[in-house]
Amino acid sequence: MIPLIDLDRQFQMIKDEALKAMARVYNSGQYILGKEGLAFEEEVKQYLNSPFAIGVGNGTDALVLALDALEIGEGDEVITTPFTFFATAEAISRVGATPIFVDIETDTYNLDPEKIVKALTDKTKAIMPVHLFGYPANMDAIMKIAIDNQLYVIEDACQAFGSTYKGKKAGTIGDIGCFSFFPTKNLGTMGDGGLVVTKHAHVNERIRMLRHHGSTKKYFHKEIGYNSRLDELQAALLRISLGKIDELNQNRQTIAEFYKKHLASLKGLSVPKTKANIEHIYHLYCIEVDERDRLSEGLTKAGIANGVYYPLPLHLQEVYQSLGFKSGSFPVAEEKSKRLLAIPMHPYVTKEEQAKIVETISTLMGEINE
């Protein structure tokens, strides 16, 4: 089976460095909020060109902490996409606010700025765009709406570490950016991990306090906080991968170009679209297929892993029935949930595997189109 993602291959490439880093952490006797975490925050801050960077427990916590730091909660509304992983809306609900979904662009699968304005109310406090699959949302338009209406922008960049929007790293354009270091992410670790970046000193200070039980001094607590620290072992491993992230993302882009070259002309199938000055780092490579389920079944039988992202948009999830949405509320998101299929994408898909993937898809699409 050609895997969708191959974590073992990725680990083997850094195994020697990783084992040395683990030993360094074990020997230090510091496992929480130690030197590795501080060093990673400094290094990632420099890489992203962000004034402040705070390591946290995971990407979901990063989103929750961002909202909490901006004092968004009960009675507030946050505009976001219905076509993303559940954590985006979950974080909004977790702080007591209401996720207000708007539909997505048909070509990028990201928030459609034209639809955001119509969703604004006097309760709207923030916009939370998601840079889906590693491709940044239309941040110029989103930032203009936010500035014109005095709203915060929290970027969910959990799938987009290293991507750029007109020369700026995804996650650094709005007020706050949030990242996940879940093992399958472009910059991943061997467990959970997350990051918050911001341009605001007061937000940096508040998130640092909130992630540590609302405390800035041991045993003294200013408010109810969280237990969400990036542990030393994960930070040490992330420091290794951070030094290789541009190379790893370039590998993904090279594979994506190969897929595009061989798949773009197939009838009944389309490949990801990109625009000038916006860099896609292909956390996932999702093709759009008229007969998605038939192609998926054929690929599985041929030993090629594939996946559906995402089979049910958030507004149709059981937990959000109370919001009153129904089938047809967001037609673009609903259509894409039936058409998108992820094919193998990670930095170490071999040329032989790439060739088998495109050959198999070409054959299957020929059969489907007969």
Side-chain angles (χ1 to χ4, degrees):
M1 175 71 76
I2 299 176
L4 194 63
I5 300 165
D6 196 329
L7 295 179
D8 180 62
R9 258 185 246 186
Q10 293 184 217
F11 175 71
Q12 292 302 324
M13 298 301 293
I14 64 166
K15 182 177 179 180
D16 291 342
E17 292 175 272
L19 292 175
K20 290 178 182 178
M22 291 176 185
R24 186 171 71 242
V25 172
Y26 293 146
N27 292 332
S28 74
Q30 289 185 309
Y31 308 130
I32 299 288
L33 297 182
K35 293 180 180 179
E36 297 291 341
L38 289 172
F40 174 68
E41 288 179 347
E42 185 61 32
E43 290 161 6
V44 77
K45 182 174 69 174
Q46 296 300 320
Y47 176 83
L48 294 172
N49 193 26
S50 174
F52 304 102
I54 312 105
V56 297
N58 53 70
T60 306
D61 282 1
L63 295 166
V64 171
L65 286 161
L67 291 158
D68 201 341
L70 297 175
E71 299 183 343
I72 294 172
E74 294 286 345
D76 296 333
E77 296 177 350
V78 178
I79 292 175
T80 194
T81 169
F83 196 66
T84 181
F85 180 61
F86 181 65
T88 308
E90 180 184 35
I92 296 168
S93 298
R94 178 55 59 192
V95 298
T98 301
I100 302 298
F101 299 118
V102 302
D103 215 345
I104 59 174
E105 296 176 326
T106 188
D107 54 349
T108 69
Y109 318 129
N110 287 322
L111 267 181
D112 187 340
E114 293 184 5
K115 295 181 173 67
I116 292 175
V117 175
K118 298 176 183 178
L120 296 175
T121 72
D122 58 2
K123 295 181 180 179
T124 308
K125 293 296 185 294
I127 305 171
M128 187 180 282
V130 177
H131 304 314
L132 198 69
F133 305 151
Y135 190 66
N138 185 345
M139 291 305 294
D140 282 351
I142 290 171
M143 291 304 297
K144 185 179 188 306
I145 294 168
I147 292 168
D148 289 347
N149 293 277
Q150 297 183 308
L151 304 174
Y152 295 115
V153 174
I154 302 170
E155 295 176 70
D156 182 340
C158 289
Q159 298 184 3
F161 190 94
S163 65
T164 58
Y165 180 88
K166 297 184 177 181
K168 296 180 180 179
K169 295 292 187 186
T172 67
I173 301 164
D175 295 282
I176 300 178
C178 300
F179 297 91
S180 167
F181 301 133
F182 188 77
T184 60
K185 295 296 192 289
N186 290 42
L187 182 64
T189 187
M190 294 179 68
D192 271 321
L195 183 78
V196 181
V197 299
T198 182
K199 60 188 70 171
H200 306 300
H202 70 283
V203 172
N204 170 62
E205 292 170 3
R206 189 144 193 267
I207 290 178
R208 288 188 180 281
M209 177 180 65
L210 287 172
R211 73 170 178 174
H212 190 52
H213 301 286
S215 172
T216 55
K217 181 180 179 182
K218 193 173 183 179
Y219 301 130
F220 292 85
H221 305 270
K222 294 184 177 182
E223 59 180 296
I224 303 298
Y226 305 84
N227 179 12
S228 183
R229 291 83 55 102
L230 179 64
D231 73 65
E232 289 291 278
L233 185 58
Q234 308 306 336
L237 295 172
L238 286 165
R239 292 181 66 193
I240 298 170
S241 295
L242 179 63
K244 306 177 188 299
I245 189 62
D246 287 341
E247 175 187 349
L248 298 177
N249 282 342
Q250 179 60 61
N251 287 353
R252 290 174 180 265
Q253 291 166 339
T254 300
I255 295 165
E257 284 299 313
F258 181 84
Y259 286 158
K260 179 179 179 180
K261 177 181 177 180
H262 293 277
L263 299 178
S265 62
L266 295 180
K267 180 183 176 182
L269 181 153
S270 60
V271 298
K273 299 176 179 64
T274 58
K275 299 177 182 178
N277 299 319
I278 305 177
E279 183 182 18
H280 203 321
I281 46 82
Y282 299 99
H283 169 60
L284 295 171
Y285 191 92
C286 291
I287 54 177
E288 222 180 299
V289 191
D290 291 344
E291 298 282 347
R292 193 265 309 279
D293 294 344
R294 286 184 63 186
L295 179 60
S296 174
E297 182 180 353
L299 287 171
T300 301
K301 287 181 179 179
I304 298 171
N306 55 93
V308 174
Y309 298 87
Y310 294 92
L312 187 66
L314 300 186
H315 66 286
L316 298 179
Q317 296 285 342
E318 180 179 352
V319 69
Y320 284 129
Q321 285 184 355
S322 62
L323 296 180
F325 297 112
K326 58 185 179 180
S327 181
S329 292
F330 303 111
V332 181
E334 292 169 32
E335 177 197 15
K336 302 310 178 187
S337 72
K338 296 177 175 64
R339 291 176 55 82
L340 286 174
L341 185 70
I343 61 176
M345 172 55 75
H346 58 81
Y348 305 109
V349 184
T350 67
K351 292 187 182 301
E352 292 75 17
E353 289 171 333
Q354 293 172 48
K356 180 179 178 180
I357 291 164
V358 300
E359 180 182 354
T360 304
I361 291 175
S362 297
T363 300
L364 289 169
M365 290 305 299
E367 295 172 358
I368 289 170
N369 291 324
E370 286 181 351

